[in-house]
Amino acid sequence: MAFMETLLSLISLLSSALLLHAAVEGPKPITLSLIHPFSPHSPFYPGNITDTEKINILIQGTKARMHNLFSTMREQNWNGSSEVDDIVATVQYTSFYFVAQVGIGSFPSFPGQKGMPYLLMIDTGSRLTWVQCEGCNPCFPLQQLNFPYNRSQSYKSIPCGDPACPTPKQDCFQAFCGFRISYGKDPGASTAGAIIRETLTFPSDFGGIESYNNLFLGCGFKSYGYTFPQQNKIGGILGLGFGGSRPLPFLNQVGKKRFSYCLLTSEHTNSQLYIGEGAKMIGPQVQSTPLLRGSNEALYYLDLQDISIQNIRLRLQALFSGGSTIDSGFPLTVLHPNVYGRVRIGFVQYFAQFHIQPYDSRSKPRDLTLDLCFPNPSGFDMYPTMTFHFRGANLVVRPPGIFATGKNYICVLLKSGPVTTIGAFQQSRYKFSYDFELGDRTRGEIGALRFAPEDCGSPT
């Protein structure tokens, strides 16, 4: 297995920049083109960095995501639903995160521009969409102006206690409908502010515009604990988490009932994300497993029943009682410690038949920070598959989605963490569709995750 092929696959999954590739007229789906962040065409091209630095980006991004989602993340319970035409958005990648370029507000004094452009972090684990606003104190660093809500012609305030306010009265911000949200702990990050109504605009690379008026938007006035650098370009959060029938989540406000993506595997290809009707998947190769409710209502849970390594079942059924999630915001797959321990043994036993033993703490090269790494014998190519057995569906991950390899090492791209989560790298070479029109609600199903093998791209 060529190292650079694996590495390009690895980095593209984590760091893909999404740039719009769709017309805006009629009920067509959102169609987003994914571009490798380390391509010179990416707005976040970092220049030349070493192979080890690229691999470490995976690990750092996974740790950051674990901290944000599974360390007492809290959101209030909000309650709605609708159906409208499809929208478009320019999406890019910065730091460890997917971000969408969204126009916010109405400023006629800016010719040819309907809203001020902001990069909002796409978070499939959050239902709330918010941006940092002018007058914030304290604020996190932002390269551009904080959103000047008072100068927007489409800004509408919502008084505290108003029946239209989608958040609890105890979250009021001064005299206005408000929100409070926390990510992580020790000390974690948090934002509080007002819920307002605003216009969101999604530009295309063709120059078209699709606007949605009178949407709920969080206006952040007090932010604590964020570790963004001074050159930070992220202005807030675009929440794509599950919303049920609540009115506040973005997908409900714009009336979308499905979205899909296919993560690319090379900086030389384009791949796409769809939101809307075009995200529907049918065909003989399509498998389906229920999307379930879990302890965090914003996340997408799956019934993961077992894991296989090269078709050998590990018989882990009793270890998944806490639930399993899927999240493209996680670079690497994270396994609960009990599950990770069994999977680790499975890989050690597999490589032992080829007389390959894992590095210990003394022999492992110092620049390898992944937990499970092996020496790489010259000419070795007997890498195993890893299969996630879901209820009614099997996700077979090929070796390029499991291993990072170099001249002297083979590393398994998995992490131990508090909740089992299928990450982006292990979703490679498949198209996934989250369809909320499917599923048996009487069994706690909120929809269905459908997937099928796909090359995920065409030449740029």
Side-chain angles (χ1 to χ4, degrees):
M1 181 189 303
F3 170 70
M4 286 311 298
E5 178 185 353
T6 301
L7 186 61
L8 288 175
S9 176
L10 170 70
I11 299 301
S12 63
L13 292 175
L14 299 177
S15 316
S16 296
L18 300 173
L19 295 180
L20 176 72
H21 208 331
V24 299
E25 47 198 63
K28 296 180 181 178
I30 307 166
T31 307
L32 304 169
S33 180
L34 289 85
I35 296 177
H36 195 295
F38 295 154
S39 164
H41 301 292
S42 168
F44 300 104
Y45 176 58
N48 293 325
I49 59 176
T50 68
D51 294 342
T52 303
E53 286 173 327
K54 292 176 182 178
I55 292 175
N56 286 338
I57 287 175
L58 276 170
I59 301 167
Q60 294 167 20
T62 303
K63 287 180 178 178
R65 185 67 171 176
M66 279 195 289
H67 179 76
N68 284 351
L69 280 187
F70 298 129
S71 300
T72 69
M73 176 177 171
R74 183 186 69 83
E75 290 188 43
Q76 299 297 335
N77 293 322
W78 296 307
N79 300 310
S81 185
S82 61
E83 186 63 45
V84 295
D85 290 344
D86 294 317
I87 63 176
V88 296
T90 301
V91 182
Q92 302 168 343
Y93 177 87
T94 181
S95 183
F96 306 122
Y97 308 107
F98 292 100
V99 295
Q101 182 174 299
V102 179
I104 302 179
S106 300
F107 301 90
S109 57
F110 298 160
Q113 184 175 314
K114 224 173 164 185
M116 293 188 70
Y118 286 88
L119 294 178
L120 303 183
M121 184 197 307
I122 296 174
D123 188 355
T124 59
S126 176
R127 294 188 294 256
L128 176 64
T129 295
W130 60 269
V131 66
Q132 184 162 266
C133 286
E134 190 174 75
C136 59
N137 184 20
C139 319
F140 55 74
L142 184 58
Q143 277 192 328
Q144 67 187 98
L145 290 173
N146 295 309
F147 176 58
Y149 65 99
N150 272 327
R151 286 178 267 164
S152 169
Q153 290 191 350
S154 49
Y155 157 70
K156 297 177 184 175
S157 64
I158 305 174
C160 177
D162 191 293
C165 178
T167 58
K169 189 171 182 179
Q170 61 264 31
D171 280 348
C172 283
F173 185 81
Q174 298 173 359
F176 302 99
C177 174
F179 72 94
R180 292 175 292 164
I181 186 167
S182 298
Y183 304 88
K185 63 179 180 180
D186 301 326
S190 64
T191 294
I195 298 289
I196 65 175
R197 288 192 181 272
E198 256 299 0
T199 294
L200 299 188
T201 302
F202 301 86
S204 78
D205 57 353
F206 300 110
I209 287 177
E210 188 83 7
S211 293
Y212 284 75
N213 303 318
N214 218 33
L215 298 184
F216 291 121
L217 176 71
C219 202
F221 289 113
K222 291 184 178 295
S223 290
Y224 301 89
Y226 292 90
T227 57
F228 294 137
Q230 288 302 312
Q231 67 273 24
N232 170 52
K233 300 178 181 180
I234 297 172
I237 298 289
L238 178 62
L240 294 181
F242 178 66
S245 59
R246 300 170 176 87
L248 188 61
F250 176 77
L251 289 174
N252 286 351
Q253 292 194 71
V254 297
K256 301 306 169 190
K257 297 183 178 178
R258 62 180 63 86
F259 65 89
S260 71
Y261 54 75
C262 189
L263 299 177
L264 73 165
T265 58
S266 169
E267 65 184 84
H268 304 296
T269 61
N270 282 345
S271 187
Q272 289 159 332
L273 169 101
Y274 297 91
I275 302 177
E277 194 64 23
K280 184 179 291 187
M281 288 181 64
I282 56 174
Q285 288 189 297
V286 175
Q287 300 185 67
S288 182
T289 189
L291 290 168
L292 305 172
R293 293 187 183 278
S295 57
N296 185 326
E297 293 184 353
L299 296 177
Y300 299 108
Y301 284 78
L302 303 172
D303 183 6
L304 178 59
Q305 299 179 336
D306 204 358
I307 294 174
S308 294
I309 296 175
Q310 195 60 24
N311 301 318
I312 303 297
R313 290 260 191 168
L314 301 182
R315 311 218 175 270
L316 305 176
Q317 291 93 326
L319 301 181
F320 296 119
S321 58
S324 305
T325 68
I326 184 167
D327 191 341
S328 61
F330 267 79
L332 299 180
T333 287
V334 174
L335 301 177
H336 186 276
N338 292 336
V339 177
Y340 179 82
R342 294 280 293 274
V343 171
R344 192 185 195 281
I345 292 172
F347 278 115
V348 170
Q349 291 175 338
Y350 175 85
F351 282 99
Q353 66 184 312
F354 302 102
H355 308 290
I356 302 173
Q357 297 297 322
Y359 284 119
D360 59 28
S361 58
R362 292 169 297 177
S363 61
K364 187 167 69 172
R366 282 184 296 176
D367 58 350
L368 295 180
T369 54
L370 284 161
D371 170 62
L372 183 56
C373 295
F374 301 83
N376 190 0
S378 177
F380 181 78
D381 62 357
M382 301 295 289
Y383 298 94
T385 59
M386 181 178 182
T387 302
F388 296 94
H389 300 281
F390 301 109
R391 186 200 307 173
N394 298 312
L395 177 64
V396 181
V397 183
R398 303 297 175 187
I402 308 169
F403 303 102
T405 62
K407 183 178 180 180
N408 300 316
Y409 63 85
I410 303 165
C411 288
V412 180
L413 294 166
L414 298 171
K415 291 285 294 178
S416 177
V419 176
T420 294
T421 300
I422 310 303
F425 192 56
Q426 283 69 37
Q427 297 176 44
S428 63
R429 301 168 191 257
Y430 280 87
K431 180 178 180 180
F432 290 85
S433 173
Y434 297 67
D435 196 321
F436 307 111
E437 288 191 332
L438 304 176
D440 185 347
R441 302 304 188 268
T442 65
R443 300 176 61 184
E445 299 172 8
I446 62 174
L449 178 70
R450 315 199 83 195
F451 58 88
E454 190 164 311
D455 287 340
C456 304
S458 57
T460 55

